[in-house]
Amino acid sequence: MTIAGKINALVLVVTGLLAVVATGITAVREFRSDRDLLIEKTSTLVSSLPDLQVDIYFGNKDRLQQSLDRFVESPAVSYVVLYDTDGEPLLRRGSPAAIGGVIAPFESLRRNVSSTEPGRLVFNGQLETGGQSLLTAVLSENSAIQLSYPVFSVLNPLLEDLSPADFGAAVVQPHEVASLYVIGYLQVAISLRATLLGVLPIVTPVFVACLLLVLISSYLSLRITRRITEPLSHMAKVADEIASGKLSDTVEVEGTGEVREIATILNGIITGLSRYKTRMDVDHQLLSMKVEERTSQLTRRNEELNKAVLEVTETKDRLRQMAYYDSLTSLPNRRLFTEQLDLLLRLSKRNNENLALLFLDLDNFKRINDSLGHSAGDQLLREVGARLAGCVRDSDVVAHYVESGPKIDVSRLGGDEFTVVLNQIDSPESARMVAQRLLDALSEPMEIGGHELVVTPSIGIALAPADASDVDGLLKAADTAMYHAKAAGKNNCLFYHSDMDAAGVDRLQLEADLRRAMERNEFVLHYQPQVDTRTGSVVGAEALVRWEHPEKGMIPPFRFIPLMEEMGFIGALGDWVLREACRQMKAFEAMGLQLPKVAVNVSALQFNSTFIRSVKEVLQESGLAPAKLELELTEGVVMGDAGAIIDAVKELKEMGVSLSIDDFGTGYSSLSYLSRFPLDELKIDRSFVIKFDESENDASLVVAIIAMARSLNLRLVAEGVETQEQYEFLTSNGAHIIQGYLFSKPLPAHELQPLLAPWHFMEQVQSMAGGPVRQNRREVSLGL
């Protein structure tokens, strides 16, 4: 702003303030005068209406209306209300619309006021008290002065049978009246805004005159200051242009001698700045080139750094995802579940709160997986995980986790096992409600691979700290309850309780441990040698699976194989046994040990087209010669679909794999399959071997099996041989391949190695051949 402008603005502000002050003083004086005059007129009018007491007594509404109309003749009076002595309204004239449409209550008007004294208060539209100044009238549109006057009667209004003449006589002779009586009250509302509007005609001319004065003063000030400061303003403009670098030539300025001196100085400055600017432009151009080069280098380095940081972050996230989340369903895995559940249990213990763990297992998932393939099974698991996560609401899982940390409300432990954690539950019924919601969600059909499937879960519920206070204990309790739910008919949920049947709990615990045994590599293979009694050499070994339980030690197959078949895990276990046996055979070969073949048992539940492919893949992966692998089929295998079984067996034979019938004679199958199936070996079941000396029928049956095998050109192996008597009976009747505790119990691979030396058992065989013959041994001729 120029100097002239500043001076003119100062004059304008001063004169404006004076005008405002003058107008304000006038407005305040006139407003107060009109307000007080109106209040005085109202009080005078109340005193000048002696007939008002008579009209109130006789209830003459027409005359009362005429009296009240005199009060509302002024525009500033909004309304007037007449009350009786009890504060009940008798009559009202005027409208409260101008003051917000609200009539001040009688009780508020007369509070803290004597019954014979007039009242005076100011209320706004919200019936809040305030001031009666001009500022209130400007700021509050609905503010009004509420006047209340007592209406006196010269006669006692409680007396009856009074006449107008009685009132007239008392009014005419006031000296006869001993006292006055209050017969009613009159309320008069005076709008402050209306009062203000009434003084505007007086204030407006004053304001206009002051405004003209301001304008005239501003004009005169502008004219004078411009004449004085115009040369200086021109010089200031020249200086601004020099500062901005817009002038390249000298300038001429008209004015007095002092102005000319300033112009000369400015011209000298312009000349010096021009030379300096030329030099600076060259330096700036060089500097800009260097800056651009360095900026380009820094940009490239920054991009490389950002890319490296991004790669590290993505790698870290991928590693965390792989470590803590299931790759199939993207749900938290067992590791994250265990860590977070341990934290929740400690927090719930500290806060004395309850926590529920729901352990969920899908019913008959193995059947669906085997029937439709692993791809359909994976798709089913993803859909189940999505439904479980979708039906567990945020209100079910209280945010007790670390800030921005992972949640484990729904987790997948592996296979078809899921868990749901409910934190800070108020009662066990809350957990039951969530479990029922899970059952309902999974009962809806799913579209998997073009098939509409319904999968049902069994849910076990364990509570902390009631059932357990640590992760392993709580998980074990929920797992046990889940197996009870499955045993009770599936598709339901059960709470864990400590008095569950002990045997059932042991079985369920065994099943639960079996589910984890594969993941924990608890299964091992032992090998029982098959000895040729004619040479004393090992001609084969049967691979027998054993379970090394971390707590219960070695568990025999008869305890867990039936459970594996019931649970649908026999296929996975069989695949592992096949792979491990082939791997061990290659390991023997690498050590220079000769084992002609290894026999692997095949369950009827395992023998299908998928198993045939697995055999081919295992042989290709291990590099084992097919002739060194022998598959022992039970009678249950060949009793199935004959056409499909024959095709599968032929396919195995085409690979070069040997086939043996295990436990021959223990089932109810037809003997015709011996001629229809391309078999290589027949095994005499242990039950026949140990009973040969109990009756002639049993001995004859063993001899018949031996004869049948020889007539069909099948190799013959007798298993379960434990005594020398059994050995002599079998060898004397033509069974020369012996397997049993007589020679060796099933051994781990490293203990089997010494037995594979050529003719290792020759000395034992010779000693048994030269030993005494049992006196009552039955001799049965083959008759061949």
Side-chain angles (χ1 to χ4, degrees):
M1 182 182 292
T2 62
I3 298 176
K6 293 180 179 179
I7 296 175
N8 188 54
L10 180 60
V11 173
L12 183 62
V13 169
V14 173
T15 55
L17 289 176
L18 293 176
V20 169
V21 170
T23 304
I25 292 173
T26 303
V28 170
R29 184 182 68 251
E30 294 298 327
F31 174 77
R32 289 179 177 177
S33 175
D34 282 16
R35 180 196 63 194
D36 296 341
L37 181 60
L38 186 58
I39 293 172
E40 183 179 355
K41 287 181 178 180
T42 302
S43 300
T44 304
L45 185 58
V46 172
S47 302
S48 65
L49 292 175
D51 294 340
L52 194 59
Q53 56 182 311
V54 180
D55 297 335
I56 293 174
Y57 181 83
F58 290 104
N60 192 335
K61 290 189 176 182
D62 293 336
R63 291 176 57 85
L64 288 174
Q65 288 182 359
Q66 294 176 4
S67 299
L68 296 185
D69 286 342
R70 297 179 61 184
F71 288 93
V72 297
E73 290 176 354
S74 174
V77 177
S78 297
Y79 64 87
V80 59
V81 182
L82 183 64
Y83 297 92
D84 60 13
T85 55
D86 295 328
E88 295 295 329
L90 300 176
L91 189 64
R92 188 189 75 189
R93 301 298 290 170
S95 172
I99 56 174
V102 179
I103 297 178
F106 179 79
E107 295 79 5
S108 300
L109 295 175
R110 301 302 300 174
R111 184 181 297 120
N112 300 326
V113 180
S114 172
S115 59
T116 59
E117 295 294 329
R120 178 175 175 178
L121 293 172
V122 177
F123 289 98
N124 58 17
Q126 288 74 36
L127 298 181
E128 299 172 346
T129 58
Q132 56 183 357
S133 63
L134 176 63
L135 183 61
T136 303
V138 172
L139 298 179
S140 178
E141 181 181 1
N142 300 324
S143 293
I145 300 175
Q146 299 287 346
L147 302 175
S148 59
Y149 299 94
V151 180
F152 294 104
S153 172
V154 295
L155 297 179
N156 188 352
L158 299 179
L159 298 177
E160 298 181 356
D161 298 332
L162 294 177
S163 65
D166 295 332
F167 280 96
V171 171
V172 173
Q173 299 177 353
H175 58 277
E176 298 291 337
V177 178
S179 61
L180 297 177
Y181 303 90
V182 176
I183 194 172
Y185 293 92
L186 193 64
Q187 176 186 356
V188 180
I190 299 175
S191 173
L192 292 178
R193 179 61 62 85
T195 305
L196 175 62
L197 295 177
V199 301
L200 285 181
I202 300 174
V203 176
T204 301
V206 177
F207 177 74
V208 172
C210 293
L211 183 61
L212 290 175
L213 178 61
V214 171
L215 294 176
I216 293 172
S217 299
S218 300
Y219 175 76
L220 294 176
S221 173
L222 180 61
R223 293 286 296 175
I224 295 172
T225 54
R226 180 172 295 178
R227 181 180 297 273
I228 296 173
T229 61
E230 185 174 0
L232 297 177
S233 298
H234 184 65
M235 295 303 298
K237 181 178 180 182
V238 172
D240 291 338
E241 291 178 350
I242 294 174
S244 62
K246 293 181 180 180
L247 291 179
S248 59
D249 299 327
T250 59
V251 294
E252 295 182 359
V253 180
E254 296 181 356
T256 62
E258 294 178 352
V259 175
R260 289 182 180 277
E261 291 179 3
I262 295 175
T264 301
I265 295 173
L266 288 177
N267 287 332
I269 293 174
I270 290 173
T271 303
L273 288 176
S274 296
R275 291 194 299 268
Y276 179 76
K277 181 179 180 183
T278 301
R279 187 171 64 254
M280 288 297 295
D281 287 343
V282 174
D283 294 342
H284 182 267
Q285 186 174 3
L286 295 175
L287 181 60
S288 297
M289 294 173 61
K290 292 182 180 179
V291 169
E292 290 177 359
E293 180 182 0
R294 185 55 58 88
T295 301
S296 178
Q297 294 175 355
L298 292 176
T299 300
R300 288 197 301 272
R301 297 295 184 270
N302 188 50
E303 290 176 354
E304 294 173 358
L305 180 60
N306 290 336
K307 184 178 180 181
V309 171
L310 180 61
E311 291 177 354
V312 171
T313 303
E314 291 177 350
T315 302
K316 180 180 178 182
D317 293 340
R318 284 197 300 270
L319 291 175
R320 178 174 179 79
Q321 184 73 20
M322 293 170 61
Y324 286 102
Y325 291 90
D326 177 49
S327 60
L328 179 62
T329 62
S330 298
L331 294 174
N333 60 12
R334 178 183 293 274
R335 180 179 180 182
L336 179 57
F337 164 79
T338 303
E339 292 179 1
Q340 292 295 312
L341 182 58
D342 180 66
L343 173 62
L344 290 177
L345 287 173
R346 286 188 277 114
L347 289 175
S348 62
K349 180 179 180 180
R350 185 182 66 185
N351 299 328
N352 195 24
E353 297 166 346
N354 295 322
L355 179 145
L357 173 63
L358 280 61
F359 194 100
L360 183 147
D361 182 86
L362 301 182
D363 302 328
N364 301 322
F365 172 74
K366 179 69 167 56
R367 176 174 56 82
I368 297 175
N369 200 38
D370 292 342
S371 301
L372 301 181
H374 294 290
S375 178
D378 292 345
Q379 187 178 353
L380 175 64
L381 291 175
R382 283 193 293 267
E383 177 64 20
V384 169
R387 290 195 180 186
L388 293 178
C391 67
V392 177
R393 300 189 297 260
D394 290 340
S395 58
D396 298 325
V397 187
V398 179
H400 227 349
Y401 310 97
V402 180
E403 182 69 21
S404 72
K407 295 185 178 181
I408 56 165
D409 45 354
V410 180
S411 304
R412 181 184 177 221
L413 300 188
D416 58 343
E417 294 178 344
F418 297 84
T419 58
V420 176
V421 177
L422 305 179
N423 195 23
Q424 290 185 341
I425 61 171
D426 51 359
S427 67
E429 186 60 29
S430 300
R432 186 187 299 276
M433 293 172 60
V434 175
Q436 186 60 48
R437 195 157 65 241
L438 298 178
L439 293 172
D440 296 340
L442 295 185
S443 65
E444 297 294 329
M446 304 178 187
E447 188 71 23
I448 305 295
H451 300 274
E452 187 176 83
L453 304 178
V454 175
V455 60
T456 60
S458 297
I459 302 176
I461 307 174
L463 304 176
D467 298 330
S469 58
D470 62 312
V471 174
D472 293 337
L474 191 64
L475 190 60
K476 180 179 178 181
D479 194 12
T480 301
M482 182 273 293
Y483 279 103
H484 272 284
K486 191 177 291 289
K490 304 179 180 179
N491 194 25
N492 64 352
C493 63
L494 286 179
F495 281 90
Y496 171 80
H497 52 85
S498 58
D499 59 347
M500 288 179 173
D501 179 66
V505 171
D506 290 341
R507 174 187 170 90
L508 293 175
Q509 185 60 50
L510 193 63
E511 292 181 2
D513 293 343
L514 272 175
R515 291 176 178 271
R516 304 178 181 88
M518 292 291 292
E519 300 176 3
R520 300 174 180 176
N521 297 320
E522 296 176 2
F523 291 108
V524 296
L525 285 185
H526 286 188
Y527 300 88
Q528 190 170 35
Q530 297 172 346
V531 181
D532 187 342
T533 59
R534 292 166 295 191
T535 64
S537 299
V538 176
V539 296
E542 181 179 3
L544 300 171
V545 64
R546 295 292 186 266
W547 181 12
E548 284 186 332
H549 195 282
E551 298 176 359
K552 301 178 182 179
M554 195 70 69
I555 298 179
F558 71 86
R559 287 194 59 192
F560 67 85
I561 292 297
L563 285 179
M564 295 288 283
E565 293 179 344
E566 290 180 16
M567 297 165 63
F569 293 161
I570 195 65
L573 179 61
D575 289 343
W576 178 85
V577 171
L578 181 62
R579 293 180 184 275
E580 179 62 19
C582 292
R583 184 199 65 78
Q584 187 59 54
M585 284 292 288
K586 291 298 293 182
F588 286 152
E589 291 180 2
M591 291 184 289
L593 301 175
Q594 294 299 321
L595 180 62
K597 64 182 177 68
V598 62
V600 176
N601 289 280
V602 180
S603 170
L605 299 176
Q606 181 185 2
F607 195 81
N608 51 38
S609 58
T610 303
F611 174 73
I612 306 302
R613 291 194 298 269
S614 297
V615 173
K616 184 180 298 184
E617 292 175 0
V618 170
L619 289 174
Q620 291 176 351
E621 292 173 2
S622 64
L624 182 68
K628 291 192 173 185
L629 175 63
E630 180 179 78
L631 300 179
E632 294 188 359
L633 310 178
T634 63
E635 289 187 80
V637 173
V638 298
M639 288 174 62
D641 185 356
I645 297 299
I646 291 175
D647 293 340
V649 170
K650 287 182 178 179
E651 187 175 352
L652 289 172
K653 286 297 295 180
E654 291 173 357
M655 295 182 199
V657 176
S658 299
L659 299 175
S660 173
I661 289 294
D662 192 20
D663 301 336
F664 177 74
T666 58
Y668 299 93
S669 60
S670 172
L671 295 178
S672 62
Y673 71 82
L674 292 178
S675 60
R676 290 188 289 117
F677 288 93
L679 302 174
D680 300 287
E681 183 179 277
L682 192 66
K683 295 192 72 172
I684 302 175
D685 187 64
R686 177 178 179 274
S687 61
F688 296 128
V689 174
I690 63 177
K691 294 181 179 180
F692 83 95
D693 59 349
E694 294 183 2
S695 68
E696 291 186 1
N697 290 335
D698 291 330
S700 299
L701 182 58
V702 174
V703 174
I705 293 173
I706 296 174
M708 185 183 306
R710 295 181 62 179
S711 64
L712 294 174
N713 292 322
L714 299 177
R715 293 193 303 269
L716 189 66
V717 176
E719 64 178 353
V721 180
E722 301 178 357
T723 66
Q724 184 171 345
E725 288 80 3
Q726 296 169 357
Y727 167 82
E728 292 173 354
F729 170 73
L730 292 169
T731 55
S732 63
N733 287 287
H736 297 291
I737 308 300
I738 302 299
Q739 174 185 341
Y741 275 76
L742 179 64
F743 287 108
S744 174
K745 66 178 181 179
L747 299 172
H750 68 278
E751 296 183 17
L752 180 66
Q753 297 175 14
L755 279 62
L756 300 181
W759 311 293
H760 176 80
F761 292 99
M762 178 58 72
E763 183 178 350
Q764 183 179 355
V765 170
Q766 290 176 349
S767 66
M768 287 189 295
V773 180
R774 182 179 177 186
Q775 184 176 356
N776 295 326
R777 180 169 58 95
R778 297 180 177 89
E779 296 288 352
V780 182
S781 174
L782 287 173
L784 299 177

